[in-house]
Amino acid sequence: MAALIPPLLAALALMLAPRPAAAHGGLANYTVGDTWYRGFDPSEPHAEQLGQEWMVQRRWDSIDPIFSVDDPYLACNNPGTGPVNSIPIRAGDTLTGVYWYWLHPVGPMTAWLAFCGAEKDACNGVDVNKLEWFKVWEGGLLEGTLVEGSWYQKAFQKWDGSPALWPVTIPKIVRSGSWMVRHEIVSIHIGGRPQFYPQCAHLWVEGGEGRDVPREYLVKFPGVYTMRDPSISIDIYADEFKDTTNYTIPGGPIWDQ
């Protein structure tokens, strides 16, 4: 089990967490109930984080985005090497991703799971490009037009000093065992040049119902996205889209039943 931080200390840690001033960023921490789990911080000395018992997130060395749908680091960022530990959680419970001052306002947000195996450390040596992922959550255009409307990505932002919270329920129907969770924000504010911000963490899931994910829901990263997909390559400022009020989130449907 990963090292835990008591709720009161967790709140303080969240208040004091680093707040990147650049227009990029990533997932900083995780919470399950009142327990806080620290993620990797690319701005802090790597030697103080790598190999630590409390680390549950896969390593990412830069707040900069990934630009190519074919980049092998699209799965879990660069270099995406694994942590020592995992987040314990029961199937059906909520895992919350914590961000600080997320600045981009336009594009989809998705959360994914991939099963590593029944053993406690099954995710440690896996090739993330060979894992089969399925989508468990998505958020996109909430209302209005592509440019002037409200996106989940914008509504999720916080500017009062509090963290932006991204809650995702782990489906109760999954198997118990070792899982990898992948949060991804795609920013499409620059036409034809999407920006991908993925981060991954390890989970130890208990109490699952043990159902298998249907093959048609399983995808790989890279592989599931293509620049031929208008949801990826779109220029939202083009005249043809000025009155568009719908957006199809890429990556296929959610499986949760």
Side-chain angles (χ1 to χ4, degrees):
M1 180 180 293
L4 308 184
I5 297 181
L8 217 62
L9 183 56
L12 178 61
L14 288 174
M15 290 172 63
L16 299 178
R19 297 160 169 78
H24 305 315
L27 199 163
N29 310 309
Y30 301 85
T31 66
V32 177
D34 291 330
T35 304
W36 175 77
Y37 300 87
R38 179 179 169 184
F40 190 83
D41 186 344
S43 68
E44 294 293 321
H46 294 179
E48 296 178 5
Q49 305 178 76
L50 298 176
Q52 298 298 319
E53 282 296 316
W54 46 261
M55 182 55 69
V56 297
Q57 189 183 48
R58 295 184 79 89
R59 176 179 172 180
W60 51 293
D61 282 355
S62 172
I63 64 173
D64 292 334
I66 292 167
F67 289 104
S68 172
V69 295
D70 299 316
D71 194 316
Y73 296 126
L74 184 63
C76 290
N77 217 306
N78 184 5
T81 49
V84 171
N85 228 314
S86 56
I87 299 171
I89 189 169
R90 292 195 63 80
D93 285 353
T94 297
L95 174 74
T96 299
V98 180
Y99 289 71
W100 293 96
Y101 290 102
W102 182 257
L103 302 180
H104 295 312
V106 179
M109 298 170 61
T110 54
W112 307 76
L113 287 175
F115 186 65
C116 298
E119 300 299 320
K120 196 69 174 282
D121 60 353
C123 287
N124 289 6
V126 300
D127 183 342
V128 294
N129 299 134
K130 294 180 179 178
L131 284 177
E132 295 181 312
W133 302 84
F134 69 98
K135 190 191 295 183
V136 295
W137 185 97
E138 63 181 20
L141 182 63
L142 301 178
E143 62 180 1
T145 64
L146 295 177
V147 175
E148 301 295 337
S150 175
W151 291 76
Y152 189 93
Q153 191 175 151
K154 184 175 182 179
F156 150 86
Q157 296 172 349
K158 297 291 185 182
W159 295 101
D160 60 358
S162 63
L165 304 178
W166 180 354
V168 173
T169 299
I170 305 302
K172 192 165 182 59
I173 53 180
V174 301
R175 300 181 190 181
S176 297
S178 290
W179 287 84
M180 206 173 296
V181 61
R182 176 182 184 273
H183 290 76
E184 179 186 65
I185 298 178
V186 183
S187 290
I188 56 172
H189 58 286
I190 300 176
R193 191 165 169 77
Q195 299 180 6
F196 300 91
Y197 298 87
Q199 273 88 34
C200 298
H202 292 189
L203 305 178
W204 175 247
V205 177
E206 295 182 304
E209 294 178 0
R211 291 180 56 183
D212 291 328
V213 183
R215 296 293 310 172
E216 61 266 27
Y217 289 91
L218 296 173
V219 305
K220 292 183 178 181
F221 294 98
V224 66
Y225 298 149
T226 170
M227 288 303 291
R228 294 187 300 273
D229 183 343
S231 295
I232 296 290
S233 61
I234 189 170
D235 179 355
I236 62 171
Y237 304 103
D239 287 343
E240 62 182 303
F241 296 119
K242 65 179 182 179
D243 296 320
T244 300
T245 57
N246 63 287
Y247 174 85
T248 300
I249 297 173
I254 292 171
W255 183 73
D256 59 2
Q257 59 183 1

Coordinates of all heavy atoms in Angstrom, one line a residue, residues 23-90:
A23 N 1.6 27.9 -19.4 CA 0.3 27.6 -19.9 C 0.1 26.1 -20.1 O -0.9 25.7 -20.6 CB 0.0 28.3 -21.3
H24 N 1.1 25.3 -19.7 CA 0.9 23.9 -19.8 C 0.8 23.3 -18.3 O 0.8 24.1 -17.4 CB 2.1 23.2 -20.5 CG 2.4 23.8 -21.8 ND1 1.4 24.0 -22.8 CD2 3.5 24.2 -22.4 CE1 1.9 24.5 -23.9 NE2 3.2 24.7 -23.7
G25 N 0.8 22.0 -18.2 CA 0.7 21.5 -16.9 C 0.4 20.0 -16.9 O 0.6 19.3 -17.9
G26 N -0.1 19.5 -15.7 CA -0.4 18.1 -15.6 C -1.0 17.8 -14.3 O -1.2 18.6 -13.4
L27 N -1.3 16.5 -14.1 CA -2.0 16.0 -12.9 C -1.0 15.9 -11.8 O 0.0 15.2 -11.9 CB -2.6 14.6 -13.2 CG -3.7 14.1 -12.3 CD1 -4.5 13.0 -13.0 CD2 -3.2 13.6 -11.0
A28 N -1.2 16.6 -10.7 CA -0.2 16.7 -9.6 C -0.4 15.7 -8.5 O 0.6 15.2 -8.0 CB -0.3 18.1 -9.0
N29 N -1.7 15.5 -8.1 CA -1.9 14.6 -7.0 C -3.2 13.8 -7.2 O -4.0 14.1 -8.2 CB -2.1 15.4 -5.7 CG -1.0 16.4 -5.4 OD1 0.1 16.0 -5.4 ND2 -1.4 17.6 -5.1
Y30 N -3.5 12.8 -6.3 CA -4.7 12.0 -6.4 C -5.3 11.9 -5.0 O -4.6 12.0 -4.0 CB -4.4 10.6 -6.9 CG -3.8 10.5 -8.2 CD1 -2.4 10.6 -8.4 CD2 -4.5 10.3 -9.4 CE1 -1.8 10.5 -9.6 CE2 -3.9 10.1 -10.6 CZ -2.6 10.3 -10.7 OH -2.0 10.1 -12.0
T31 N -6.6 11.8 -4.9 CA -7.2 11.6 -3.6 C -8.2 10.4 -3.8 O -8.9 10.3 -4.8 CB -8.0 12.8 -3.1 OG1 -9.1 13.1 -3.9 CG2 -7.1 14.0 -3.0
V32 N -8.4 9.7 -2.7 CA -9.4 8.7 -2.6 C -10.0 8.9 -1.2 O -9.4 8.7 -0.2 CB -8.9 7.2 -2.7 CG1 -10.0 6.2 -2.4 CG2 -8.2 7.0 -4.0
G33 N -11.3 9.4 -1.2 CA -11.9 9.8 0.1 C -11.1 10.9 0.7 O -10.8 11.9 0.0
D34 N -10.6 10.8 1.9 CA -9.9 11.8 2.6 C -8.4 11.6 2.5 O -7.6 12.4 3.1 CB -10.3 11.9 4.1 CG -11.7 12.5 4.2 OD1 -12.1 13.3 3.4 OD2 -12.3 12.1 5.2
T35 N -8.0 10.6 1.7 CA -6.5 10.3 1.7 C -5.9 10.9 0.4 O -6.5 10.7 -0.7 CB -6.3 8.8 1.7 OG1 -6.9 8.3 2.9 CG2 -4.8 8.4 1.8
W36 N -4.8 11.5 0.5 CA -4.1 12.2 -0.6 C -2.8 11.4 -1.0 O -2.1 10.8 -0.1 CB -3.7 13.5 -0.1 CG -2.9 14.4 -1.0 CD1 -3.3 15.0 -2.1 CD2 -1.5 14.7 -0.9 NE1 -2.3 15.7 -2.7 CE2 -1.1 15.5 -2.0 CE3 -0.5 14.3 0.0 CZ2 0.2 16.0 -2.2 CZ3 0.8 14.8 -0.2 CH2 1.1 15.6 -1.2
Y37 N -2.6 11.3 -2.3 CA -1.4 10.6 -2.8 C -0.7 11.5 -3.7 O -1.3 12.1 -4.6 CB -1.9 9.3 -3.6 CG -2.7 8.3 -2.8 CD1 -4.0 8.5 -2.6 CD2 -2.0 7.3 -2.1 CE1 -4.7 7.6 -1.8 CE2 -2.7 6.4 -1.3 CZ -4.1 6.5 -1.2 OH -4.8 5.6 -0.4
R38 N 0.6 11.7 -3.5 CA 1.4 12.6 -4.2 C 1.8 12.0 -5.6 O 2.1 10.9 -5.7 CB 2.7 12.9 -3.4 CG 3.6 13.9 -4.1 CD 4.8 14.2 -3.3 NE 5.8 14.9 -4.1 CZ 7.0 15.3 -3.6 NH1 7.3 15.0 -2.4 NH2 7.9 15.9 -4.4
G39 N 1.7 12.9 -6.6 CA 2.2 12.5 -7.9 C 3.6 13.0 -8.2 O 4.2 13.6 -7.3
F40 N 4.1 12.7 -9.4 CA 5.4 13.1 -9.7 C 5.4 14.6 -10.1 O 4.4 15.1 -10.7 CB 5.9 12.3 -11.0 CG 7.3 12.5 -11.3 CD1 8.3 11.8 -10.6 CD2 7.7 13.4 -12.2 CE1 9.7 12.0 -10.9 CE2 9.1 13.6 -12.5 CZ 10.0 12.9 -11.9
D41 N 6.4 15.3 -9.7 CA 6.5 16.7 -9.9 C 7.8 17.0 -10.8 O 8.9 16.9 -10.3 CB 6.6 17.5 -8.6 CG 6.6 19.0 -8.8 OD1 6.8 19.5 -10.0 OD2 6.3 19.7 -7.9
P42 N 7.6 17.3 -12.1 CA 8.8 17.5 -12.9 C 9.6 18.7 -12.6 O 10.8 18.8 -13.0 CB 8.2 17.7 -14.3 CG 6.8 18.1 -14.1 CD 6.4 17.5 -12.8
S43 N 9.1 19.6 -11.7 CA 9.9 20.8 -11.4 C 10.7 20.5 -10.1 O 11.6 21.4 -9.8 CB 8.9 21.9 -11.1 OG 8.1 21.7 -10.0
E44 N 10.5 19.4 -9.4 CA 11.3 19.1 -8.2 C 12.4 18.1 -8.6 O 12.4 17.4 -9.6 CB 10.4 18.4 -7.2 CG 9.3 19.4 -6.6 CD 9.9 20.5 -5.8 OE1 10.9 20.3 -5.1 OE2 9.4 21.7 -6.0
P45 N 13.5 18.0 -7.8 CA 14.6 17.1 -8.0 C 14.1 15.6 -8.2 O 13.4 15.1 -7.3 CB 15.4 17.2 -6.8 CG 15.2 18.6 -6.3 CD 13.7 18.8 -6.5
H46 N 14.4 15.0 -9.3 CA 13.9 13.7 -9.6 C 14.4 12.7 -8.6 O 13.7 11.7 -8.3 CB 14.3 13.3 -11.0 CG 13.6 14.1 -12.1 ND1 13.8 14.0 -13.4 CD2 12.7 15.2 -12.0 CE1 13.1 14.9 -14.1 NE2 12.4 15.6 -13.2
A47 N 15.6 12.8 -8.1 CA 16.2 11.9 -7.2 C 15.5 11.8 -5.9 O 15.5 10.7 -5.2 CB 17.7 12.2 -7.0
E48 N 14.8 12.8 -5.6 CA 14.0 12.8 -4.3 C 12.6 12.2 -4.5 O 11.9 12.0 -3.5 CB 13.8 14.3 -3.8 CG 15.1 15.0 -3.5 CD 14.9 16.4 -3.0 OE1 13.7 16.8 -2.9 OE2 15.9 17.1 -2.8
Q49 N 12.3 11.8 -5.7 CA 11.0 11.2 -6.0 C 11.1 9.7 -6.5 O 10.2 8.9 -6.1 CB 10.2 12.0 -7.0 CG 10.1 13.5 -6.6 CD 9.4 14.3 -7.7 OE1 8.2 14.2 -7.8 NE2 10.1 15.1 -8.5
L50 N 12.0 9.5 -7.4 CA 12.1 8.2 -8.0 C 12.5 7.1 -7.0 O 13.4 7.3 -6.2 CB 13.2 8.2 -9.1 CG 12.9 9.2 -10.3 CD1 14.0 9.2 -11.3 CD2 11.6 8.8 -11.0
G51 N 11.7 6.0 -7.0 CA 12.0 4.9 -6.1 C 11.4 5.1 -4.7 O 11.6 4.2 -3.9
Q52 N 10.7 6.2 -4.4 CA 10.2 6.4 -3.1 C 8.9 5.6 -2.9 O 8.1 5.4 -3.8 CB 9.8 7.9 -2.9 CG 11.1 8.8 -3.0 CD 12.1 8.5 -1.9 OE1 11.7 8.3 -0.8 NE2 13.3 8.6 -2.3
E53 N 8.7 5.1 -1.7 CA 7.6 4.2 -1.4 C 6.3 4.9 -1.6 O 5.3 4.2 -1.8 CB 7.7 3.7 0.0 CG 8.7 2.6 0.2 CD 8.3 1.3 -0.6 OE1 7.1 1.0 -0.5 OE2 9.2 0.7 -1.2
W54 N 6.2 6.2 -1.5 CA 5.0 6.9 -1.6 C 4.6 7.2 -3.1 O 3.5 7.7 -3.3 CB 5.0 8.2 -0.8 CG 6.2 9.1 -1.0 CD1 7.3 9.1 -0.2 CD2 6.5 10.0 -2.1 NE1 8.3 10.0 -0.7 CE2 7.8 10.5 -1.9 CE3 5.8 10.3 -3.3 CZ2 8.4 11.4 -2.8 CZ3 6.4 11.2 -4.2 CH2 7.7 11.8 -3.9
M55 N 5.5 7.0 -4.0 CA 5.2 7.4 -5.4 C 4.3 6.4 -6.1 O 4.5 5.2 -6.1 CB 6.5 7.4 -6.2 CG 6.3 7.9 -7.7 SD 5.4 9.5 -7.8 CE 6.7 10.6 -7.2
V56 N 3.2 6.9 -6.6 CA 2.1 6.0 -7.3 C 1.9 6.4 -8.7 O 1.2 5.7 -9.4 CB 0.8 6.2 -6.5 CG1 0.9 5.6 -5.1 CG2 0.3 7.6 -6.5
Q57 N 2.5 7.5 -9.2 CA 2.3 8.0 -10.5 C 3.5 7.7 -11.4 O 4.7 7.7 -11.0 CB 2.1 9.5 -10.5 CG 1.6 10.1 -11.9 CD 1.5 11.6 -11.8 OE1 2.3 12.3 -11.3 NE2 0.3 12.1 -12.3
R58 N 3.3 7.4 -12.7 CA 4.4 7.2 -13.6 C 5.1 8.5 -13.9 O 4.4 9.6 -14.0 CB 3.9 6.5 -14.9 CG 3.3 5.1 -14.6 CD 2.9 4.4 -15.9 NE 4.1 3.8 -16.6 CZ 4.6 2.6 -16.4 NH1 4.1 1.8 -15.4 NH2 5.6 2.2 -17.1
R59 N 6.3 8.4 -14.1 CA 7.2 9.6 -14.3 C 6.9 10.4 -15.5 O 6.6 9.8 -16.6 CB 8.6 9.2 -14.3 CG 9.6 10.3 -14.5 CD 11.1 9.7 -14.5 NE 12.1 10.7 -15.0 CZ 13.4 10.4 -15.0 NH1 13.8 9.2 -14.7 NH2 14.2 11.4 -15.4
W60 N 6.8 11.7 -15.4 CA 6.7 12.6 -16.6 C 7.6 13.8 -16.3 O 7.6 14.5 -15.3 CB 5.3 13.1 -16.8 CG 4.5 13.6 -15.6 CD1 4.1 13.0 -14.5 CD2 4.1 15.0 -15.5 NE1 3.5 13.8 -13.6 CE2 3.4 15.1 -14.2 CE3 4.1 16.1 -16.3 CZ2 2.8 16.2 -13.7 CZ3 3.6 17.3 -15.8 CH2 2.9 17.3 -14.5
D61 N 8.5 14.1 -17.3 CA 9.6 15.0 -17.0 C 9.4 16.4 -17.5 O 10.2 17.3 -17.3 CB 10.9 14.5 -17.8 CG 11.5 13.4 -17.0 OD1 11.1 13.1 -15.9 OD2 12.5 12.8 -17.5
S62 N 8.2 16.7 -18.1 CA 8.0 18.1 -18.6 C 6.5 18.4 -18.6 O 5.7 17.5 -18.8 CB 8.5 18.2 -20.0 OG 8.1 19.5 -20.6
I63 N 6.2 19.7 -18.3 CA 4.8 20.1 -18.4 C 4.4 20.4 -19.8 O 3.2 20.7 -20.1 CB 4.5 21.3 -17.6 CG1 5.3 22.5 -18.1 CG2 4.8 21.1 -16.1 CD1 5.0 23.9 -17.4
D64 N 5.3 20.2 -20.8 CA 5.0 20.5 -22.2 C 4.1 19.4 -22.8 O 4.2 18.2 -22.3 CB 6.3 20.6 -23.0 CG 7.0 21.9 -22.7 OD1 6.4 22.8 -22.2 OD2 8.3 21.9 -22.8
P65 N 3.3 19.7 -23.8 CA 2.4 18.6 -24.3 C 3.1 17.7 -25.3 O 4.3 17.9 -25.7 CB 1.4 19.5 -25.1 CG 2.2 20.7 -25.5 CD 3.1 21.0 -24.4
I66 N 2.4 16.6 -25.6 CA 2.8 15.7 -26.7 C 2.0 16.2 -27.9 O 0.8 16.4 -27.8 CB 2.5 14.3 -26.3 CG1 3.5 13.9 -25.2 CG2 2.7 13.3 -27.5 CD1 3.2 12.6 -24.5
F67 N 2.6 16.3 -29.1 CA 2.0 16.8 -30.3 C 1.6 15.8 -31.3 O 0.7 16.1 -32.1 CB 2.9 17.8 -30.9 CG 3.0 19.1 -30.2 CD1 4.2 19.4 -29.5 CD2 2.0 20.1 -30.1 CE1 4.3 20.6 -28.7 CE2 2.1 21.2 -29.4 CZ 3.3 21.5 -28.7
S68 N 2.1 14.6 -31.3 CA 1.9 13.6 -32.3 C 1.0 12.5 -31.8 O 1.2 11.9 -30.7 CB 3.2 13.0 -32.8 OG 3.0 11.9 -33.7
V69 N 0.0 12.1 -32.6 CA -0.8 10.9 -32.3 C -0.1 9.6 -32.3 O -0.6 8.6 -31.9 CB -2.1 10.9 -33.2 CG1 -3.0 12.1 -33.0 CG2 -1.7 10.8 -34.7
D70 N 1.1 9.6 -33.0 CA 1.9 8.4 -33.1 C 3.1 8.4 -32.1 O 3.9 7.4 -32.1 CB 2.5 8.3 -34.5 CG 1.4 8.3 -35.6 OD1 0.4 7.5 -35.4 OD2 1.5 9.0 -36.6
D71 N 3.2 9.3 -31.2 CA 4.3 9.4 -30.3 C 4.1 8.2 -29.3 O 3.0 8.1 -28.7 CB 4.2 10.7 -29.5 CG 5.5 11.0 -28.7 OD1 6.0 10.1 -28.1 OD2 6.0 12.1 -28.8
P72 N 5.1 7.4 -29.0 CA 5.0 6.3 -28.1 C 4.7 6.8 -26.6 O 4.2 6.0 -25.8 CB 6.4 5.6 -28.2 CG 7.3 6.6 -28.8 CD 6.5 7.4 -29.7
Y73 N 5.1 8.1 -26.4 CA 4.8 8.6 -25.0 C 3.4 9.1 -24.9 O 3.0 9.6 -23.8 CB 5.8 9.7 -24.7 CG 7.2 9.3 -24.7 CD1 8.2 9.9 -25.4 CD2 7.6 8.2 -23.8 CE1 9.5 9.4 -25.4 CE2 8.9 7.8 -23.8 CZ 9.9 8.4 -24.5 OH 11.2 7.9 -24.5
L74 N 2.6 8.9 -25.9 CA 1.2 9.3 -25.8 C 0.5 8.5 -24.7 O -0.5 8.9 -24.1 CB 0.5 9.1 -27.1 CG -1.0 9.6 -27.3 CD1 -1.1 11.1 -27.0 CD2 -1.6 9.2 -28.6
A75 N 1.0 7.3 -24.5 CA 0.3 6.4 -23.5 C 0.4 7.1 -22.1 O -0.7 7.3 -21.4 CB 0.9 5.0 -23.5
C76 N 1.6 7.3 -21.6 CA 1.8 7.7 -20.2 C 2.8 8.8 -20.0 O 3.4 9.0 -19.0 CB 2.1 6.6 -19.3 SG 0.8 5.4 -19.1
N77 N 3.0 9.6 -21.1 CA 3.9 10.8 -21.1 C 5.4 10.3 -21.1 O 5.6 9.1 -21.2 CB 3.6 11.7 -19.9 CG 3.8 13.1 -20.2 OD1 4.9 13.5 -20.7 ND2 2.8 13.9 -19.9
N78 N 6.3 11.2 -21.1 CA 7.7 11.0 -21.3 C 8.5 11.2 -20.0 O 8.4 12.2 -19.4 CB 8.2 12.0 -22.3 CG 9.7 11.8 -22.7 OD1 10.3 10.8 -22.3 ND2 10.2 12.7 -23.5
P79 N 9.2 10.2 -19.5 CA 9.4 8.9 -20.1 C 8.4 7.8 -19.7 O 8.4 6.7 -20.2 CB 10.8 8.5 -19.5 CG 10.8 9.1 -18.2 CD 10.1 10.4 -18.3
G80 N 7.5 8.1 -18.8 CA 6.5 7.2 -18.4 C 6.9 6.0 -17.6 O 6.2 5.0 -17.6
T81 N 8.1 6.0 -17.0 CA 8.5 4.8 -16.3 C 7.7 4.7 -15.0 O 7.2 5.7 -14.4 CB 10.0 4.9 -15.9 OG1 10.3 6.3 -15.4 CG2 10.8 4.8 -17.2
G82 N 7.6 3.5 -14.5 CA 6.7 3.2 -13.4 C 7.1 3.6 -12.0 O 8.3 3.7 -11.7
P83 N 6.1 3.7 -11.1 CA 6.4 4.0 -9.7 C 6.6 2.8 -8.9 O 6.5 1.6 -9.4 CB 5.1 4.7 -9.3 CG 4.1 4.0 -10.1 CD 4.7 3.7 -11.4
V84 N 6.9 2.9 -7.7 CA 7.1 1.8 -6.8 C 5.8 1.3 -6.3 O 5.7 0.1 -6.1 CB 8.0 2.2 -5.6 CG1 8.1 1.2 -4.5 CG2 9.4 2.6 -6.0
N85 N 4.8 2.1 -6.1 CA 3.6 1.7 -5.4 C 2.4 2.0 -6.2 O 2.4 2.4 -7.3 CB 3.6 2.5 -4.0 CG 3.3 1.5 -2.9 OD1 2.4 0.7 -3.0 ND2 4.0 1.6 -1.8
S86 N 1.2 1.7 -5.5 CA -0.1 1.9 -6.2 C -1.1 2.5 -5.2 O -0.9 2.4 -4.0 CB -0.5 0.6 -6.8 OG -0.6 -0.4 -5.7
I87 N -2.1 3.0 -5.7 CA -3.2 3.6 -4.9 C -4.2 2.5 -4.6 O -4.8 1.9 -5.6 CB -3.9 4.7 -5.7 CG1 -2.9 5.9 -6.0 CG2 -5.1 5.3 -4.9 CD1 -3.5 6.9 -6.9
P88 N -4.5 2.2 -3.4 CA -5.5 1.2 -3.1 C -6.9 1.8 -3.2 O -7.2 2.9 -2.7 CB -5.2 0.8 -1.6 CG -4.5 2.0 -1.0 CD -3.8 2.7 -2.2
I89 N -7.8 1.1 -3.9 CA -9.2 1.7 -4.0 C -10.1 0.5 -4.3 O -9.7 -0.5 -4.8 CB -9.2 2.7 -5.2 CG1 -10.5 3.4 -5.3 CG2 -8.8 2.0 -6.6 CD1 -10.6 4.5 -6.3
R90 N -11.3 0.7 -3.9 CA -12.4 -0.3 -4.1 C -13.1 0.0 -5.4 O -13.4 1.2 -5.7 CB -13.3 -0.4 -2.9 CG -12.7 -1.0 -1.6 CD -13.7 -1.4 -0.6 NE -14.6 -2.5 -1.1 CZ -14.3 -3.8 -1.1 NH1 -13.1 -4.2 -0.7 NH2 -15.1 -4.7 -1.6

